[in-house]
Amino acid sequence: MRPLGQLIDLYLDDLASEADCLELGRRLRDDPAAAELFARMTRAEAMLGELLREQAVPLLQPGTDIGLAPGRQLPRRGGVRQRSLLAAGLLLLLLSSLALWLPIGLAGGSEVVAGQVLVNGAARRWIPQGARVEVADGDAAIIRLPGGSRLELAPRSQLVWHGSGGADRPRLSLVRGGGCFSVGPQSPPLLIDTPIGSVAAHDSDVAVELWSPPEHEGGPTMNPQTTLAIAVAVLLGQVEVQHQGQRYLLGFGQSHVFAADDDKPAKKSLRFGTVAEVAADGKSFVLERQPAKPGTEPTRWPIRLTDQTRVVYRGVAKGAERPTVGSRAAVRLVDGSEDEAAAVEFGSPEPDFAGRITAMADDGKELTLETFRKDQPPETRTVRLTDATRIRLFDDPKAEARPAVGDGARIWLAAGSKDAAIDVELVRKGRVGSKDPAFKNKGKPDNSGKKPAEGDKKPHDSPKKPAHAPDKKPADGAQKPAPTPEKKPDGDKKPTVKEKKPAEGVKQPGNKKSTEAAVKKPASGDKKASDGPVPKK
Amino acid sequence: MGDQERFLRLFLRCQGEIRAFIGAWVRDPHQREDIFQEVALVLWREFDRYDPTRSFAAWARGIAAKKVWQRWEQARRVPLPFDPETLRAVQEAFERTEGDAELRADALRRCLASLPEKSRRLLALRYEESLKLADIAQRLRSSLDAVHKALSRLRARLQACVERRLAALERLSRGTP
């Protein structure tokens, strides 16, 4: 008869035969102590993933020697074991007593894991509750919050860390810049306040970025008058956004821009619509927005592109990166100008589907994605890369990029094709140090292509599943948790949130109504999530 | 406190337990997640039937056990991996061992941090990336058996470390050296 521990080990490693399972079942049933051991081991196993993520273990590279080569044994420590037993025991006691005190001393505090962070003007490793935090210029910073959530903040970002509030919900106010916020399933929901809305995340990874006019980026305040919009992109899971008194659910792969009120001065420099005319030299175009009420004239804005204008194309094939009549566009004007664009984004903001890359063909011409559809098992899709396929990083569209297993990918297909991609946008964690240049300030140094924060090796790329509605209702005033737990990332449906049964009072930015709330009076006929606000990711 | 807030508090507190219980029976991470979602949905829908004098986690595990069983039956696996009595026995074992789960989690966190980086990397492949052993072996250019043995040793080592820490805490709390 196999020892119980060996049987459980086989089972945990998916190596147990049917006979092993029968034997294990019998012993679990007949021996309460065996069942308890099994319960403890499976409980520990369930925790390991989250704990490892907390502790940010770099991934192994192929062929790394970790002492597993056949015939090799893990190092034995018998020699020193006897001698160090006493010392280890004393150390253990010391650690254990420290363990009793540490949680008290650091309650509500956060640790800077990488990068340089100034707390109230001085470089610090620990961030106390209530501190004003600024990421030093140059590199991104990684901060670990109590409870295991992780922030990767772009250089020069600023926030106020409020710590864990009364309901044990960590909360921070993002004042400038942005970053990626990873909140694990075991971590408490994180509330991210911004000047014009709040984002609640749990069991999800979300990128949040504030857009401010250039003159305000140097001296930020938590002032909605100086913030144009917040861009929210869900990399994993699902988040809830509160904006102008409404609640929105954003699912895996979705991005959305929540703009300031129309009556706020900042909002006046944003334009959304469809390209109606393009000048022969391509340096200017007319942006048209359909009226909200039928029978009235569309609004038309002449827009000038200059050498300083940041331009981004999404869902556009290689070589077709130019303004074309009929394509959607989002424009941010130079402050004070009525027609000069500081940034423009052309194309279709929402992909045909999204997923995680699980395999690459040897010739690099094909990639396999695992996509997710509600109530169905994960689906595997193969995407062909052709000469016309553009491949770019989500936060650095101009950089050359090569897909890799583990990357998140948003796929735009060629018209009429089911597998040929024209545009592939890679979401690679640990790149918040670089930014999407589309809506960055002109004249400022481009951070794109900067060294990733602690590299792409972070294990957060694991194909984690998205959020679940019942544990996803942290917003104050929520009327009822969304009763339908969000299943899996709906990678291959455009308005993914449409599948969800929203909680009462929860709007989904994918529908027209919510789009109107997010950006007042969008072009009529806009029905898709992507049609409304700025297609920023 | 409204129903919603009460539910959230209870659910957030024990969702790790629910995941662990489901994970004990369903080894595929995607299926595991599916079942977790289904359980979460049932918990919310049936929350008005929840008896607050009982353990929420125990109630949730009962629902999870039913969902796991349904999934096995739907998959028409013959023979079924385990029988209902086994599920019930482990369900009860989870309840009996729930009391020190938080302490154990904290100890595990510290024990994990004390492992050599290479060991933690191996665990990350298995438990964070959810790779199968064959994939890990391929990635590390090692054999499946070697990976299994290393993982088994690591689990045993972590388990022993957790027990030692708990014993030390116990001694501390009793004021004995």
Side-chain angles (χ1 to χ4, degrees):
Chain A
M1 187 190 296
R2 284 184 196 273
L4 178 66
Q6 201 179 75
L7 263 183
I8 297 178
D9 272 326
L10 284 170
Y11 177 74
L12 294 182
D13 285 343
D14 307 324
L15 297 175
S17 64
E18 275 184 17
D20 291 333
C21 283
L22 274 176
E23 170 68 13
L24 179 61
R26 186 187 63 73
R27 294 172 71 173
L28 296 179
R29 196 173 54 235
D30 297 345
D31 180 0
E36 285 177 17
L37 177 65
F38 182 74
R40 288 200 165 112
M41 286 186 76
T42 49
R43 194 184 269 132
E45 187 191 41
M47 277 184 247
L48 275 173
E50 192 55 35
L51 293 176
L52 286 159
R53 191 169 298 122
E54 247 181 47
Q55 294 177 11
V57 183
L59 294 183
L60 281 175
Q61 296 305 309
T64 305
D65 174 16
I66 58 168
L68 294 189
R72 288 187 61 175
Q73 297 290 318
L74 290 177
R76 292 178 66 88
R77 299 184 179 173
V80 291
R81 193 172 175 178
Q82 297 299 325
R83 285 196 302 263
S84 60
L85 202 56
L86 182 61
L90 289 171
L91 184 62
L92 186 65
L93 281 175
L94 180 64
L95 286 175
S96 303
S97 53
L98 275 176
L100 294 176
W101 289 103
L102 270 175
I104 300 167
L106 300 176
S110 304
E111 182 187 6
V112 179
V113 180
Q116 195 182 17
V117 162
L118 307 176
V119 175
N120 300 327
R124 289 277 184 273
R125 174 128 192 253
W126 293 98
I127 301 171
Q129 201 160 329
R132 190 179 188 91
V133 177
E134 178 169 7
V135 180
D137 203 358
D139 277 328
I142 299 178
I143 297 171
R144 188 165 59 216
L145 301 183
S149 296
R150 248 169 60 110
L151 321 181
E152 295 181 23
L153 294 170
R156 301 183 69 244
S157 293
Q158 279 197 358
L159 60 83
V160 177
W161 167 237
H162 301 292
S164 300
D168 295 319
R169 182 189 307 156
R171 188 172 142 250
L172 60 87
S173 296
L174 189 60
V175 180
R176 181 173 69 193
C180 185
F181 302 79
S182 299
V183 184
Q186 309 282 355
S187 305
L190 174 67
L191 190 64
I192 305 153
D193 285 332
T194 76
I196 52 175
S198 65
V199 180
H202 183 248
D203 196 2
S204 49
D205 288 6
V206 57
V208 179
E209 192 175 351
L210 299 187
W211 299 357
S212 305
E215 69 275 23
H216 291 294
E217 293 226 342
T221 59
M222 190 72 174
N223 180 358
Q225 300 287 340
T226 61
T227 302
L228 293 170
I230 50 171
V232 182
V234 182
L235 311 179
L236 284 171
Q238 173 185 287
V239 302
E240 182 184 296
V241 180
Q242 287 226 356
H243 176 245
Q244 295 180 2
Q246 302 286 353
R247 298 164 58 210
Y248 304 88
L249 290 177
L250 288 182
F252 170 74
Q254 284 199 306
S255 57
H256 211 76
V257 170
F258 296 87
D261 289 343
D262 272 339
D263 55 354
K264 299 277 168 37
K267 174 69 187 299
K268 291 180 178 168
S269 66
L270 295 178
R271 302 275 187 271
F272 309 99
T274 305
V275 176
E277 294 172 28
V278 181
D281 62 359
K283 296 283 179 68
S284 62
F285 63 92
V286 174
L287 188 68
E288 186 174 273
R289 192 165 83 177
Q290 292 300 316
K293 291 178 185 172
T296 52
E297 288 297 309
T299 309
R300 290 166 68 93
W301 298 285
I303 304 291
R304 279 190 299 120
L305 304 176
T306 68
D307 292 343
Q308 310 297 322
T309 306
R310 298 292 186 87
V311 181
V312 172
Y313 295 89
R314 287 202 160 88
V316 172
K318 196 186 282 181
E321 300 104 324
R322 57 184 172 273
T324 49
V325 172
S327 70
R328 283 195 300 271
V331 177
R332 199 191 86 195
L333 296 173
V334 169
D335 200 46
S337 171
E338 284 298 311
D339 63 349
E340 184 183 339
V344 184
E345 186 166 308
F346 291 106
S348 170
E350 293 300 325
D352 288 297
F353 59 89
R356 178 108 17 219
I357 299 176
T358 55
M360 290 285 308
D362 288 341
D363 63 1
K365 299 276 179 155
E366 211 172 75
L367 53 87
T368 307
L369 283 100
E370 190 173 48
T371 64
F372 303 92
R373 195 190 291 261
K374 190 178 177 184
D375 289 332
Q376 288 180 23
E379 202 175 287
T380 299
R381 294 190 67 150
T382 302
V383 174
R384 280 190 298 117
L385 308 179
T386 69
D387 291 342
T389 307
R390 279 198 318 147
I391 303 175
R392 57 194 170 75
L393 292 169
F394 121 93
D395 55 351
D396 189 2
K398 287 183 179 171
E400 285 286 319
R402 187 176 296 177
V405 172
D407 286 346
R410 291 154 58 90
I411 308 291
W412 286 259
L413 295 175
S417 173
K418 288 183 178 173
D419 64 349
I422 54 168
D423 194 11
V424 176
E425 183 177 75
L426 302 173
V427 180
R428 190 167 291 168
K429 292 290 300 296
R431 284 193 48 86
V432 294
S434 56
K435 291 182 177 182
D436 187 333
F439 286 82
K440 291 291 120 193
N441 304 320
K442 68 178 184 178
K444 284 184 68 176
D446 186 356
N447 285 326
S448 59
K450 272 206 163 102
K451 185 178 75 170
E454 213 171 278
D456 294 340
K457 57 191 177 180
K458 279 287 167 280
H460 284 265
D461 287 344
S462 61
K464 195 170 63 171
K465 291 301 183 55
H468 323 290
D471 48 336
K472 193 95 35 258
K473 298 283 120 235
D476 289 326
Q479 295 173 21
K480 193 170 176 137
T484 308
E486 177 51 16
K487 292 287 260 187
K488 295 176 174 181
D490 292 323
D492 37 0
K493 288 208 166 177
K494 278 189 178 177
T496 51
V497 288
K498 280 190 175 173
E499 283 192 351
K500 298 164 203 153
K501 184 179 170 186
E504 194 181 334
V506 175
K507 290 189 178 251
Q508 300 170 4
N511 59 35
K512 187 182 173 189
K513 201 171 178 184
S514 64
T515 299
E516 285 172 353
V519 178
K520 301 281 172 66
K521 295 174 186 163
S524 67
D526 288 351
K527 287 191 171 61
K528 291 199 310 183
S530 49
D531 285 341
V534 182
K536 175 102 165 47
K537 296 165 182 71
Chain B
M1 189 190 301
D3 263 7
Q4 172 212 335
E5 196 174 341
R6 205 156 57 91
F7 175 81
L8 273 179
R9 278 175 185 268
L10 292 166
F11 182 79
L12 290 176
R13 198 178 302 150
C14 78
Q15 60 167 329
E17 276 287 298
I18 305 171
R19 282 181 194 279
F21 182 74
I22 297 169
W25 306 112
V26 182
R27 307 303 300 163
D28 178 79
H30 301 307
Q31 284 192 28
R32 202 183 299 166
E33 196 62 25
D34 276 351
I35 294 178
F36 177 79
Q37 309 255 1
E38 288 169 19
V39 171
L41 181 59
V42 173
L43 288 174
W44 169 243
R45 280 185 182 153
E46 314 250 313
F47 187 54
D48 52 353
R49 294 188 196 172
Y50 164 61
D51 174 3
T53 60
R54 283 190 63 206
S55 152
F56 183 83
W59 180 56
R61 275 192 294 265
I63 290 170
K66 281 183 196 160
K67 288 286 172 192
V68 167
W69 186 255
Q70 281 172 10
R71 180 62 65 112
W72 284 345
E73 287 191 321
Q74 280 165 9
R76 296 175 195 280
R77 278 188 61 176
V78 178
L80 292 175
F82 296 99
D83 57 30
E85 286 76 25
T86 306
L87 256 77
R88 199 169 306 122
V90 173
Q91 198 180 323
E92 286 166 7
F94 262 86
E95 281 183 50
R96 289 196 300 274
T97 54
E98 196 182 337
D100 65 354
E102 276 187 34
L103 270 181
R104 281 178 177 273
D106 189 54
L108 181 63
R109 177 181 287 112
R110 291 165 200 280
C111 291
L112 187 64
S114 70
L115 282 182
E117 191 172 293
K118 283 179 179 178
S119 302
R120 292 196 296 140
R121 286 176 179 179
L122 176 62
L123 290 171
L125 289 177
R126 176 66 177 149
Y127 295 113
E128 204 179 346
E129 286 203 75
S130 301
L131 290 184
K132 291 182 177 167
L133 259 66
D135 297 328
I136 298 175
Q138 190 179 11
R139 189 181 285 197
L140 301 180
R141 292 168 198 158
S142 183
S143 72
L144 192 141
D145 189 49
V147 174
H148 169 60
K149 281 181 179 160
L151 281 172
S152 300
R153 277 193 292 258
L154 281 174
R155 283 191 292 255
R157 187 170 167 181
L158 284 171
Q159 196 186 347
C161 172
V162 166
E163 298 298 340
R164 280 199 308 271
R165 281 185 176 275
L166 290 180
L169 277 176
E170 174 76 19
R171 285 197 299 275
L172 269 180
S173 67
R174 277 187 287 166
T176 53

mmCIF file of all heavy atoms in Angstrom, chain B residues 1-23:
data_model
loop_
_atom_site.group_PDB
_atom_site.id
_atom_site.type_symbol
_atom_site.label_atom_id
_atom_site.label_comp_id
_atom_site.label_asym_id
_atom_site.label_seq_id
_atom_site.Cartn_x
_atom_site.Cartn_y
_atom_site.Cartn_z
ATOM 1 N N MET B 1 -26.564 46.782 8.424
ATOM 2 C CA MET B 1 -25.821 46.304 7.258
ATOM 3 C C MET B 1 -26.775 45.582 6.303
ATOM 4 O O MET B 1 -27.536 44.722 6.718
ATOM 5 C CB MET B 1 -24.738 45.326 7.735
ATOM 6 C CG MET B 1 -23.767 44.935 6.653
ATOM 7 S SD MET B 1 -22.689 43.571 7.182
ATOM 8 C CE MET B 1 -21.904 44.290 8.604
ATOM 9 N N GLY B 2 -26.760 45.969 5.052
ATOM 10 C CA GLY B 2 -27.678 45.371 4.091
ATOM 11 C C GLY B 2 -27.242 43.968 3.700
ATOM 12 O O GLY B 2 -26.131 43.533 4.012
ATOM 13 N N ASP B 3 -28.157 43.295 3.021
ATOM 14 C CA ASP B 3 -27.872 41.941 2.556
ATOM 15 C C ASP B 3 -26.614 41.879 1.709
ATOM 16 O O ASP B 3 -25.799 40.970 1.823
ATOM 17 C CB ASP B 3 -29.046 41.441 1.713
ATOM 18 C CG ASP B 3 -29.979 40.603 2.565
ATOM 19 O OD1 ASP B 3 -29.754 40.554 3.781
ATOM 20 O OD2 ASP B 3 -30.920 40.029 2.000
ATOM 21 N N GLN B 4 -26.539 42.888 0.838
ATOM 22 C CA GLN B 4 -25.419 42.892 -0.102
ATOM 23 C C GLN B 4 -24.078 42.979 0.627
ATOM 24 O O GLN B 4 -23.162 42.203 0.363
ATOM 25 C CB GLN B 4 -25.572 44.080 -1.036
ATOM 26 C CG GLN B 4 -24.378 44.298 -1.914
ATOM 27 C CD GLN B 4 -24.192 45.762 -2.214
ATOM 28 O OE1 GLN B 4 -25.149 46.531 -2.173
ATOM 29 N NE2 GLN B 4 -22.991 46.155 -2.508
ATOM 30 N N GLU B 5 -24.029 43.897 1.569
ATOM 31 C CA GLU B 5 -22.766 44.080 2.280
ATOM 32 C C GLU B 5 -22.448 42.842 3.136
ATOM 33 O O GLU B 5 -21.300 42.405 3.214
ATOM 34 C CB GLU B 5 -22.849 45.330 3.144
ATOM 35 C CG GLU B 5 -21.479 45.792 3.588
ATOM 36 C CD GLU B 5 -21.543 47.105 4.332
ATOM 37 O OE1 GLU B 5 -22.548 47.820 4.192
ATOM 38 O OE2 GLU B 5 -20.590 47.386 5.074
ATOM 39 N N ARG B 6 -23.498 42.301 3.731
ATOM 40 C CA ARG B 6 -23.302 41.116 4.565
ATOM 41 C C ARG B 6 -22.787 39.951 3.703
ATOM 42 O O ARG B 6 -21.859 39.250 4.061
ATOM 43 C CB ARG B 6 -24.645 40.744 5.223
ATOM 44 C CG ARG B 6 -24.508 39.966 6.510
ATOM 45 C CD ARG B 6 -25.754 40.148 7.366
ATOM 46 N NE ARG B 6 -26.970 39.758 6.671
ATOM 47 C CZ ARG B 6 -27.500 38.539 6.707
ATOM 48 N NH1 ARG B 6 -26.915 37.600 7.403
ATOM 49 N NH2 ARG B 6 -28.608 38.262 6.057
ATOM 50 N N PHE B 7 -23.423 39.815 2.547
ATOM 51 C CA PHE B 7 -22.992 38.747 1.645
ATOM 52 C C PHE B 7 -21.542 38.944 1.233
ATOM 53 O O PHE B 7 -20.741 38.014 1.255
ATOM 54 C CB PHE B 7 -23.897 38.720 0.406
ATOM 55 C CG PHE B 7 -23.436 37.725 -0.624
ATOM 56 C CD1 PHE B 7 -23.734 36.378 -0.494
ATOM 57 C CD2 PHE B 7 -22.684 38.130 -1.711
ATOM 58 C CE1 PHE B 7 -23.296 35.458 -1.428
ATOM 59 C CE2 PHE B 7 -22.239 37.223 -2.655
ATOM 60 C CZ PHE B 7 -22.547 35.882 -2.508
ATOM 61 N N LEU B 8 -21.245 40.185 0.848
ATOM 62 C CA LEU B 8 -19.879 40.447 0.377
ATOM 63 C C LEU B 8 -18.851 40.131 1.447
ATOM 64 O O LEU B 8 -17.821 39.529 1.178
ATOM 65 C CB LEU B 8 -19.754 41.917 -0.039
ATOM 66 C CG LEU B 8 -20.157 42.215 -1.469
ATOM 67 C CD1 LEU B 8 -20.018 43.695 -1.744
ATOM 68 C CD2 LEU B 8 -19.283 41.430 -2.440
ATOM 69 N N ARG B 9 -19.137 40.559 2.638
ATOM 70 C CA ARG B 9 -18.193 40.305 3.728
ATOM 71 C C ARG B 9 -17.962 38.806 3.909
ATOM 72 O O ARG B 9 -16.833 38.348 4.008
ATOM 73 C CB ARG B 9 -18.724 40.890 5.031
ATOM 74 C CG ARG B 9 -18.452 42.359 5.191
ATOM 75 C CD ARG B 9 -19.123 42.880 6.438
ATOM 76 N NE ARG B 9 -18.958 44.309 6.545
ATOM 77 C CZ ARG B 9 -17.946 44.883 7.210
ATOM 78 N NH1 ARG B 9 -17.072 44.139 7.814
ATOM 79 N NH2 ARG B 9 -17.831 46.187 7.256
ATOM 80 N N LEU B 10 -19.061 38.087 3.937
ATOM 81 C CA LEU B 10 -18.946 36.636 4.145
ATOM 82 C C LEU B 10 -18.252 35.977 2.966
ATOM 83 O O LEU B 10 -17.362 35.138 3.115
ATOM 84 C CB LEU B 10 -20.344 36.033 4.342
ATOM 85 C CG LEU B 10 -21.052 36.431 5.644
ATOM 86 C CD1 LEU B 10 -22.531 36.068 5.585
ATOM 87 C CD2 LEU B 10 -20.390 35.722 6.820
ATOM 88 N N PHE B 11 -18.674 36.388 1.786
ATOM 89 C CA PHE B 11 -18.143 35.746 0.581
ATOM 90 C C PHE B 11 -16.647 36.034 0.424
ATOM 91 O O PHE B 11 -15.856 35.133 0.147
ATOM 92 C CB PHE B 11 -18.910 36.240 -0.648
ATOM 93 C CG PHE B 11 -18.453 35.601 -1.922
ATOM 94 C CD1 PHE B 11 -18.878 34.328 -2.257
ATOM 95 C CD2 PHE B 11 -17.586 36.257 -2.773
ATOM 96 C CE1 PHE B 11 -18.442 33.726 -3.419
ATOM 97 C CE2 PHE B 11 -17.145 35.664 -3.937
ATOM 98 C CZ PHE B 11 -17.583 34.395 -4.261
ATOM 99 N N LEU B 12 -16.278 37.298 0.598
ATOM 100 C CA LEU B 12 -14.869 37.647 0.422
ATOM 101 C C LEU B 12 -14.008 36.924 1.451
ATOM 102 O O LEU B 12 -12.889 36.536 1.160
ATOM 103 C CB LEU B 12 -14.682 39.160 0.538
ATOM 104 C CG LEU B 12 -15.263 39.968 -0.617
ATOM 105 C CD1 LEU B 12 -15.102 41.456 -0.360
ATOM 106 C CD2 LEU B 12 -14.588 39.598 -1.934
ATOM 107 N N ARG B 13 -14.564 36.761 2.645
ATOM 108 C CA ARG B 13 -13.778 36.135 3.694
ATOM 109 C C ARG B 13 -13.528 34.655 3.386
ATOM 110 O O ARG B 13 -12.491 34.118 3.726
ATOM 111 C CB ARG B 13 -14.501 36.273 5.036
ATOM 112 C CG ARG B 13 -13.583 36.041 6.226
ATOM 113 C CD ARG B 13 -14.335 36.237 7.516
ATOM 114 N NE ARG B 13 -14.926 37.563 7.610
ATOM 115 C CZ ARG B 13 -16.052 37.818 8.273
ATOM 116 N NH1 ARG B 13 -16.686 36.860 8.878
ATOM 117 N NH2 ARG B 13 -16.516 39.047 8.327
ATOM 118 N N CYS B 14 -14.482 34.018 2.749
ATOM 119 C CA CYS B 14 -14.305 32.564 2.607
ATOM 120 C C CYS B 14 -14.118 32.115 1.161
ATOM 121 O O CYS B 14 -14.134 30.930 0.886
ATOM 122 C CB CYS B 14 -15.455 31.809 3.269
ATOM 123 S SG CYS B 14 -16.928 31.794 2.306
ATOM 124 N N GLN B 15 -13.913 33.055 0.258
ATOM 125 C CA GLN B 15 -13.787 32.608 -1.129
ATOM 126 C C GLN B 15 -12.544 31.742 -1.342
ATOM 127 O O GLN B 15 -12.551 30.831 -2.176
ATOM 128 C CB GLN B 15 -13.794 33.786 -2.092
ATOM 129 C CG GLN B 15 -12.688 34.780 -1.870
ATOM 130 C CD GLN B 15 -12.576 35.723 -3.049
ATOM 131 O OE1 GLN B 15 -12.854 35.350 -4.177
ATOM 132 N NE2 GLN B 15 -12.180 36.945 -2.791
ATOM 133 N N GLY B 16 -11.492 32.011 -0.553
ATOM 134 C CA GLY B 16 -10.300 31.172 -0.659
ATOM 135 C C GLY B 16 -10.611 29.731 -0.263
ATOM 136 O O GLY B 16 -10.125 28.777 -0.881
ATOM 137 N N GLU B 17 -11.421 29.597 0.770
ATOM 138 C CA GLU B 17 -11.823 28.264 1.223
ATOM 139 C C GLU B 17 -12.636 27.549 0.137
ATOM 140 O O GLU B 17 -12.462 26.360 -0.093
ATOM 141 C CB GLU B 17 -12.689 28.387 2.486
ATOM 142 C CG GLU B 17 -11.895 28.499 3.754
ATOM 143 C CD GLU B 17 -11.253 27.166 4.128
ATOM 144 O OE1 GLU B 17 -11.969 26.200 4.365
ATOM 145 O OE2 GLU B 17 -10.017 27.111 4.150
ATOM 146 N N ILE B 18 -13.518 28.292 -0.486
ATOM 147 C CA ILE B 18 -14.350 27.678 -1.535
ATOM 148 C C ILE B 18 -13.460 27.217 -2.690
ATOM 149 O O ILE B 18 -13.585 26.105 -3.197
ATOM 150 C CB ILE B 18 -15.419 28.676 -2.050
ATOM 151 C CG1 ILE B 18 -16.251 29.215 -0.894
ATOM 152 C CG2 ILE B 18 -16.309 28.015 -3.089
ATOM 153 C CD1 ILE B 18 -17.166 30.362 -1.269
ATOM 154 N N ARG B 19 -12.550 28.092 -3.075
ATOM 155 C CA ARG B 19 -11.638 27.730 -4.169
ATOM 156 C C ARG B 19 -10.825 26.487 -3.799
ATOM 157 O O ARG B 19 -10.609 25.601 -4.625
ATOM 158 C CB ARG B 19 -10.675 28.880 -4.451
ATOM 159 C CG ARG B 19 -11.257 29.997 -5.250
ATOM 160 C CD ARG B 19 -10.177 31.062 -5.467
ATOM 161 N NE ARG B 19 -10.758 32.300 -5.939
ATOM 162 C CZ ARG B 19 -11.094 32.526 -7.186
ATOM 163 N NH1 ARG B 19 -10.898 31.613 -8.101
ATOM 164 N NH2 ARG B 19 -11.626 33.682 -7.545
ATOM 165 N N ALA B 20 -10.360 26.468 -2.557
ATOM 166 C CA ALA B 20 -9.529 25.339 -2.134
ATOM 167 C C ALA B 20 -10.336 24.049 -2.183
ATOM 168 O O ALA B 20 -9.845 23.011 -2.648
ATOM 169 C CB ALA B 20 -8.992 25.588 -0.727
ATOM 170 N N PHE B 21 -11.569 24.117 -1.720
ATOM 171 C CA PHE B 21 -12.391 22.907 -1.694
ATOM 172 C C PHE B 21 -12.673 22.421 -3.118
ATOM 173 O O PHE B 21 -12.567 21.228 -3.415
ATOM 174 C CB PHE B 21 -13.701 23.174 -0.948
ATOM 175 C CG PHE B 21 -14.573 21.955 -0.846
ATOM 176 C CD1 PHE B 21 -14.259 20.926 0.029
ATOM 177 C CD2 PHE B 21 -15.696 21.815 -1.646
ATOM 178 C CE1 PHE B 21 -15.046 19.792 0.118
ATOM 179 C CE2 PHE B 21 -16.486 20.691 -1.567
ATOM 180 C CZ PHE B 21 -16.162 19.667 -0.687
ATOM 181 N N ILE B 22 -12.991 23.351 -3.985
ATOM 182 C CA ILE B 22 -13.245 22.954 -5.378
ATOM 183 C C ILE B 22 -11.956 22.400 -5.994
ATOM 184 O O ILE B 22 -11.951 21.378 -6.681
ATOM 185 C CB ILE B 22 -13.772 24.145 -6.202
ATOM 186 C CG1 ILE B 22 -15.121 24.605 -5.642
ATOM 187 C CG2 ILE B 22 -13.898 23.782 -7.673
ATOM 188 C CD1 ILE B 22 -15.592 25.927 -6.207
ATOM 189 N N GLY B 23 -10.853 23.094 -5.694
ATOM 190 C CA GLY B 23 -9.568 22.669 -6.255
ATOM 191 C C GLY B 23 -9.161 21.279 -5.796
ATOM 192 O O GLY B 23 -8.390 20.592 -6.473
#
